[in-house]
Amino acid sequence: MSDATETYRVLGIGLGIGEPESALVERALAAAGLGPGELRGFRISRKSLDARRSGGSRRLRFVVHVDLVVTKGHRSPAFDRALRAGRVVRAPASGSLVVSNRHETVSVARVAVVGSGPAGLFAALALALSGAEVDLFERGPSLRERGRALARFDRTRVPDPERNLLFGEGGAGTYSDGKLYTRVDDPLEIPILEALVACGAPTEILYDARAHIGTDRLHRILPRLRERLEAEGVRLHFGVRVDGWTVRGETPARVVSLRTPAGEAPCDAVVLAPGHSARDTWRALARDGLVVEPKPFQLGVRVEHPQRLVDVDRHGTGPEAALLGPASYSLLCRSDGGTPATYSFCMCPGGQIVASVSRPEFLCTNGMSNSRHSSPFANAAIVTTLGPREFGTGAFDGVALQERIEQAAFEAGGSDYTAPAQRVPDFLAAREGVGPLRTSYRFGVRPGRVDRLLPDLVRSALVRALVRFDHSIPGFAGPEAVMVGVETRSSGPVRLPRDRETFRAAGFANVFPCGEGAGWAGGIMSAAIDGARAAQALLRFGIGGASPTSPERTRVRRAD
Ligand SMILES: Cc1cc2nc3c(=O)[nH]c(=O)nc-3n(C[C@H](O)[C@H](O)[C@H](O)COP(=O)(O)OP(=O)(O)OC[C@H]3O[C@@H](n4cnc5c(N)ncnc54)[C@H](O)[C@@H]3O)c2cc1C
């Protein structure tokens, strides 16, 4: 947008399923009371599917928000009426990854970023674009080597603790559904999505309210993102695990180097983005003075249905359904006071269930898909949230609960990464099921008592929710529905407290925790935004002298 123009958002324009997007220009201009001569630019800012029921059937259509660029100061009675009626609002300003007013302590700083997940990658990009010197340390391998390690795990059923679905280039979301939406409303969302588009992501991610780009496309984007980082001067060190740090001073302490198996790596500041499975890293850094607190996390199972069951309910069987891809859902059963709220999470249409494993003899499931969403299965986590009140207030009590459940799941599956599974009606009736069970889980499933793997509170919350969900999607709790357990790592069980404004870790002058492993984000986009925000706080406020005074207490809002 130039200085001579301004942008307005026209809200809630309807678009038929088969209609071309070009129809939106005329409709947006009419809704805003503008003529074509006043238009300087046009873009879709959000497009979502409206599949609500009306009179027993679903009426499918898209609901679109459109940004119109007009000459600055343009006014007309019709335009003013549209503004007053709320059909048109000023479009929020998009942010920038670059910080121009860098703090003096940063201009000569060498910043170490720990972790190459979305948080670490976008922290590194924001730092490098703003002129900082950056070393990015990633314990796992680069993408190609990671793929080979996963193929080995598929063949041998022996996981590699450093090269797996959770550790390596791109972080935990590299083998995922690539859902790139978030409920976090942040000005950095658009610049991050634009950076992904520049690396080959489809432009629809800029506005699609349910953008799922898939593992295959993520794997084409990541190498280009790496090239971009290298071009900006970031030095990437794969296969280098940070095992601790050396500090100088006490109030606040200052990290002067990172300890790695390859030796000490000197640094002036640390952006810490180790993800939700860095259990050994949290423990090691806690021994080196990092404050670690327990935090609520989600616990439950993966549930899988034939995709057709979801499609028929959500999109119907009419001709319009054929124009839409596989359907997704998002379900919530509120707390009744006694049992906690339970919800679907990380739904993967046309996807597959994967073993989300970083350590031998622990089993946890998650979901992924390719961009075509072509598998005949729909899976999602069904989870509830447990907090320190339920599992204990020790820093690692949540981790200990995850570990107990994951070990029990490994054994229940037969100790070879076969997953325990149970039909939903058997789960509801708390009885042993009988096979055979058909699922997308690659290592196969073994009929078992998934219900017995979960704490009582989680089990009763899931029972209550599944009955409700069966009203929303008939068949959801029917014989075709299979639970594959367990889902323990939908979010991290610890928080690394940090200052609200400077993002400095409690007690440290130059440590900036971020992303899911720090407990400040959940999901690809929210982790990327949090990483960039941490980097920007470092750039703006520099390396500090005072202890944090205003601990951050915001709740993490996840995409689902
Ligand atoms: C199978 C699967 C599917 C998912 N699907 C989606 C989805 O569709 N949409 C969505 O929004 N979210 C999804 N998620 C969640 C999402 O991937 C995470 O929320 C997100 O990746 C968190 O980003 P992060 O950068 O904080 O951490 P991570 O992505 O976990 O990255 C942390 C990185 O730090 C590295 N690391 C850890 N310890 C050290 C150390 N000591 N030294 C050096 N490096 C270290 C790890 O190897 C890892 O690569 C999925 C997760 C999984 C596992």
Side-chain angles (χ1 to χ4, degrees):
M1 195 183 79
S2 81
D3 285 351
T5 60
E6 53 196 1
T7 306
Y8 287 88
R9 184 157 293 172
V10 187
L11 303 172
I13 303 170
L15 184 73
I17 298 300
E19 268 191 294
E21 285 177 354
S22 52
L24 290 168
V25 184
E26 207 178 302
R27 267 171 227 171
L29 286 171
L34 294 167
E38 280 130 22
L39 189 65
R40 300 282 168 274
F42 164 92
R43 79 175 184 101
I44 298 173
S45 67
R46 187 176 171 84
K47 183 176 177 187
S48 53
L49 179 68
D50 179 1
R52 280 171 301 177
R53 279 184 208 283
S54 120
S57 64
R58 291 200 191 273
R59 187 180 150 244
L60 299 172
R61 61 172 197 149
F62 292 112
V63 176
V64 188
H65 298 343
V66 160
D67 285 356
L68 300 178
V69 183
V70 297
T71 307
K72 196 167 192 167
H74 172 82
R75 278 288 174 275
S76 71
F79 187 51
D80 286 346
R81 268 198 305 279
L83 281 167
R84 276 199 306 275
R87 285 195 302 278
V88 176
V89 294
R90 275 298 278 270
S94 166
S96 165
L97 287 172
V98 182
V99 171
S100 44
N101 53 339
R102 234 176 22 181
H103 194 270
E104 61 201 15
T105 50
V106 182
S107 48
V108 289
R110 182 168 172 174
V111 184
V113 175
V114 181
S116 75
L121 288 173
F122 278 93
L125 184 61
L127 286 162
L129 285 174
S130 308
E133 193 183 334
V134 184
D135 282 288
L136 190 153
F137 297 97
E138 166 55 56
R139 67 193 292 165
S142 63
L143 199 56
R144 185 170 296 186
E145 207 190 312
R146 195 175 175 190
R148 287 198 203 106
L150 280 167
R152 244 185 339 266
F153 178 38
D154 274 355
R155 271 197 322 276
T156 61
R157 297 194 178 220
V158 179
D160 182 329
E162 297 300 328
R163 302 170 173 81
N164 49 56
L165 202 102
L166 298 162
F167 296 161
E169 184 171 6
T174 299
Y175 296 85
S176 77
D177 191 33
K179 284 181 277 295
L180 293 183
Y181 46 85
T182 169
R183 280 184 254 152
V184 176
D185 198 9
D186 194 286
L188 290 179
E189 185 177 1
I190 288 295
I192 288 171
L193 291 172
E194 282 172 348
L196 293 173
V197 169
C199 292
T203 48
E204 300 91 79
I205 66 167
L206 295 172
Y207 57 81
D208 185 349
R210 288 260 155 197
H212 294 211
I213 68 171
T215 293
D216 49 340
R217 282 199 287 207
L218 277 173
H219 284 225
R220 292 196 288 275
I221 294 164
L222 274 171
R224 292 176 65 178
L225 186 55
R226 187 199 320 159
E227 280 167 25
R228 167 101 199 266
L229 287 166
E230 284 170 339
E232 298 296 342
V234 176
R235 291 179 293 260
L236 292 117
H237 310 271
F238 290 108
V240 180
R241 191 184 60 233
V242 172
D243 287 333
W245 53 39
T246 303
V247 297
R248 199 169 287 157
E250 268 179 25
T251 46
R254 188 179 286 247
V255 173
V256 291
S257 68
L258 297 179
R259 229 170 25 249
T260 79
E264 294 273 326
C267 61
D268 300 305
V270 185
V271 174
L272 188 58
H276 61 32
S277 291
R279 295 167 178 171
D280 52 352
T281 304
W282 297 323
R283 287 185 169 118
L285 296 181
R287 283 193 294 275
D288 282 349
L290 184 70
V291 179
V292 179
E293 293 175 347
K295 86 171 222 330
F297 70 97
Q298 297 154 315
L299 192 57
V301 295
R302 275 270 139 187
V303 68
E304 190 162 72
H305 300 88
Q307 179 65 48
R308 129 187 82 66
L309 186 142
V310 181
D311 288 347
V312 169
D313 178 75
R314 298 281 119 165
H315 294 168
T317 50
E320 288 174 334
L323 300 172
L324 296 165
S328 59
Y329 58 81
S330 173
L331 301 169
L332 165 70
C333 175
R334 290 182 202 286
S335 166
D336 64 356
T339 39
T342 303
Y343 40 95
S344 67
F345 179 74
C346 188
M347 196 266 154
C348 298
Q352 61 170 287
I353 300 178
V354 291
S356 191
V357 168
S358 57
R359 259 175 83 184
E361 303 186 3
F362 288 78
L363 178 60
C364 165
T365 52
N366 208 309
M368 63 166 269
S369 66
N370 278 328
S371 53
R372 286 174 50 234
H373 300 281
S374 51
S375 117
F377 294 103
N379 73 69
I382 304 292
V383 287
T384 190
T385 306
L386 292 189
R389 217 176 36 188
E390 286 86 29
F391 55 72
T393 51
F396 296 103
D397 285 352
V399 178
L401 175 63
Q402 286 180 321
E403 290 181 337
R404 278 198 303 278
I405 295 174
E406 290 171 13
Q407 277 174 319
F410 178 73
E411 283 161 23
S415 302
D416 64 354
Y417 299 98
T418 301
Q422 190 176 25
R423 282 202 176 83
V424 171
D426 296 328
F427 181 93
L428 295 177
R431 65 179 177 228
E432 193 83 40
V434 284
L437 300 175
R438 233 187 116 235
T439 75
S440 67
Y441 181 67
R442 207 175 293 178
F443 290 122
V445 298
R446 173 177 172 161
R449 293 292 301 266
V450 174
D451 56 319
R452 285 196 179 145
L453 297 172
L454 301 170
D456 288 348
L457 187 62
V458 177
R459 186 171 46 235
S460 53
L462 261 59
V463 166
R464 183 168 159 268
L466 286 161
V467 173
R468 292 274 172 94
F469 295 166
D470 197 62
H471 291 303
S472 306
I473 302 181
F476 199 90
E480 289 189 294
V482 180
M483 289 179 144
V484 182
V486 287
E487 182 101 1
T488 45
R489 303 199 200 181
S490 300
S491 56
V494 301
R495 173 161 297 147
L496 312 181
R498 69 185 183 193
D499 180 71
R500 183 195 303 267
E501 194 174 35
T502 64
F503 279 49
R504 288 177 206 141
F508 283 86
N510 63 345
V511 176
F512 301 81
C514 59
E516 188 150 11
W520 296 111
I524 294 171
M525 277 307 292
S526 89
I529 290 169
D530 196 58
R533 287 178 69 219
Q536 294 197 331
L538 193 172
L539 289 158
R540 285 202 186 97
F541 299 103
I543 296 158
S547 293
T549 48
S550 53
E552 190 168 10
R553 282 279 170 257
T554 48
R555 276 192 58 223
V556 176
R557 305 197 66 202
R558 294 198 60 124
D560 61 5

